[in-house]
Amino acid sequence: MNNWLKAGLMAAACLAGPAVAQADFPERAVTLVVAQPAGGPSDVFARIVAEKAGAILGQPIVVENRPGANSMAAYVSMSNARPDGYSVLLSTSGANAFPALFKSFTLDLGKDLTPVALLSSGPLAVFANPKTPFDTLDDLVAHAKAHPGELNYANISAGSLLPAEMLKQATGIDFVTVNYNGGAPSYQAVMTGEADFLLTTLGAGKPMVDSGQLKAISVNTAKRSDLAPDIPALGESKDPQIAAMAEFGGFAEVWFAIVGPKGLDPENARILGEAFRKAVEDPQVSEKIRTVSQMVPAPADAAELGKRIEAEQAQWLEIAKTAGIMPQ
């Protein structure tokens, strides 16, 4: 073999070597950032899903809580993270209200983060103090119209403010929004009668209904939810304005999804999305999601998640504008 041929073969081997030796993604642990404190609904959900998704990937997924700035800090940090797939964020539907409510939040969640996968969804529900004179949403609306401005709505967070405004705009009722610092003080306010009603997830409110501390007024679905078949659905309303809301998805749906940094490597995003979607489809994980989080698996790909994010951001901007709510 002449020297030129030897040199050519050696060069080809060198070029081919790294491609053959390159390990598949992921080579090490993946960090799943949660923008809320440990022990809350988002954290519990993340840990349920992370264990199975990690097993599918063949590498552990480590849950890391980064609360701060109304959960916004984690989104800003993630948008600027290294786009290699080793750090992703558990996003919630409530984040889509950030641009409408906070001047400091300048991200477009559909463009400055990379959608990876939608994982689960669940309806909001209306809960009230057991002593209030209304047992259905129709009754609540009728009472509010007869007593404008007298009912107090306990607002948990940014994520529950705009759905309440949507209820106002759809029905023409007026009530006083009282802002509380999170779920616990909001629930306590309604239980003691300091406030009359609130909007929250089934997972958060249903245990307090079961213990008699709250009563369920309506679940935000066209038909009764399998998660709580004893709670009337929005679609059962005899009020045409409320029934119309049900046809268009009600005031809001709660969901969890995975997003990554801007410019996330497409192949790594695909691998992550597939693993997380398979995780929520696993029968044991699915059952935990239903019983613990009071949600249902709703796996969807990155394209579907991206469409949902863009649509909800636009919806909340319009609701806030109509309500005269200016970003603070």
Side-chain angles (χ1 to χ4, degrees):
M1 185 181 293
N2 64 44
N3 290 337
W4 286 108
L5 181 56
K6 287 181 181 179
L9 290 172
M10 288 178 64
C14 289
L15 288 172
V20 172
Q22 185 176 8
D24 291 333
F25 172 84
E27 300 177 77
R28 52 186 169 83
V30 173
T31 297
L32 176 57
V33 176
V34 176
Q36 294 77 30
S42 299
D43 176 69
V44 171
F45 178 89
R47 294 178 192 278
I48 291 172
V49 175
E51 182 178 1
K52 185 63 180 180
I56 293 169
L57 287 171
Q59 293 289 349
I61 296 178
V62 181
V63 175
E64 183 176 312
N65 300 90
R66 296 184 196 168
N70 289 312
S71 301
M72 293 185 289
Y75 286 83
V76 174
S77 175
M78 182 56 61
S79 71
N80 297 313
R82 186 173 178 177
D84 56 8
Y86 286 100
S87 184
V88 291
L89 173 71
L90 182 73
S91 185
T92 68
S93 51
N96 294 323
F98 289 165
L101 297 174
F102 301 105
K103 285 191 293 186
S104 61
F105 192 81
T106 58
L107 298 182
D108 181 323
L109 292 169
K111 296 176 181 177
D112 295 318
L113 291 161
T114 301
V116 174
L118 180 66
L119 301 184
S120 70
S121 66
L124 284 175
V126 182
F127 299 94
N129 180 281
K131 295 181 180 179
T132 51
F134 40 80
D135 295 318
T136 68
L137 192 57
D138 285 4
D139 293 341
L140 186 157
V141 170
H143 183 86
K145 286 181 177 179
H147 305 85
E150 291 186 13
L151 289 180
N152 287 332
Y153 168 70
N155 182 51
I156 295 173
S157 66
S160 59
L161 175 61
L162 293 179
E165 288 298 328
M166 182 184 285
L167 177 61
K168 272 187 179 181
Q169 292 174 24
T171 60
I173 62 174
D174 184 31
F175 50 77
V176 177
T177 297
V178 183
N179 295 313
Y180 290 90
N181 188 25
S186 302
Y187 308 143
Q188 185 66 22
V190 177
M191 286 188 286
T192 61
E194 180 179 294
D196 299 294
F197 72 105
L198 55 77
L199 273 168
T200 190
T201 62
L202 278 176
K206 195 170 182 297
M208 287 173 275
V209 173
D210 294 340
S211 65
Q213 295 171 297
L214 295 176
K215 64 180 175 182
I217 300 298
S218 177
V219 66
N220 186 38
T221 50
K223 297 180 179 179
R224 295 200 180 202
S225 171
D226 292 340
L227 299 170
D230 54 330
I231 303 177
L234 203 66
E236 296 176 36
S237 172
K238 295 180 176 61
D239 185 319
Q241 294 167 313
I242 297 175
M245 286 180 66
E247 292 180 15
F248 291 96
F251 6 91
E253 184 179 50
V254 181
W255 49 256
F256 287 131
I258 301 296
V259 299
K262 184 176 183 178
L264 176 61
D265 178 89
E267 179 59 14
N268 291 357
R270 184 195 65 77
I271 292 169
L272 287 168
E274 186 174 285
F276 276 105
R277 292 196 304 273
K278 284 183 178 179
V280 298
E281 290 173 338
D282 176 81
Q284 291 184 329
V285 173
S286 174
E287 183 60 24
K288 285 183 180 179
I289 291 171
R290 289 174 180 275
T291 56
V292 178
S293 300
Q294 290 287 296
M295 302 180 83
V296 294
D301 63 16
E304 178 61 30
L305 174 59
K307 290 177 184 176
R308 184 170 292 208
I309 290 171
E310 292 292 349
E312 291 187 13
Q313 280 190 129
Q315 171 185 266
W316 295 133
L317 285 166
E318 184 61 30
I319 292 290
K321 180 180 178 181
T322 302
I325 296 173
M326 301 299 293
Q328 300 299 309

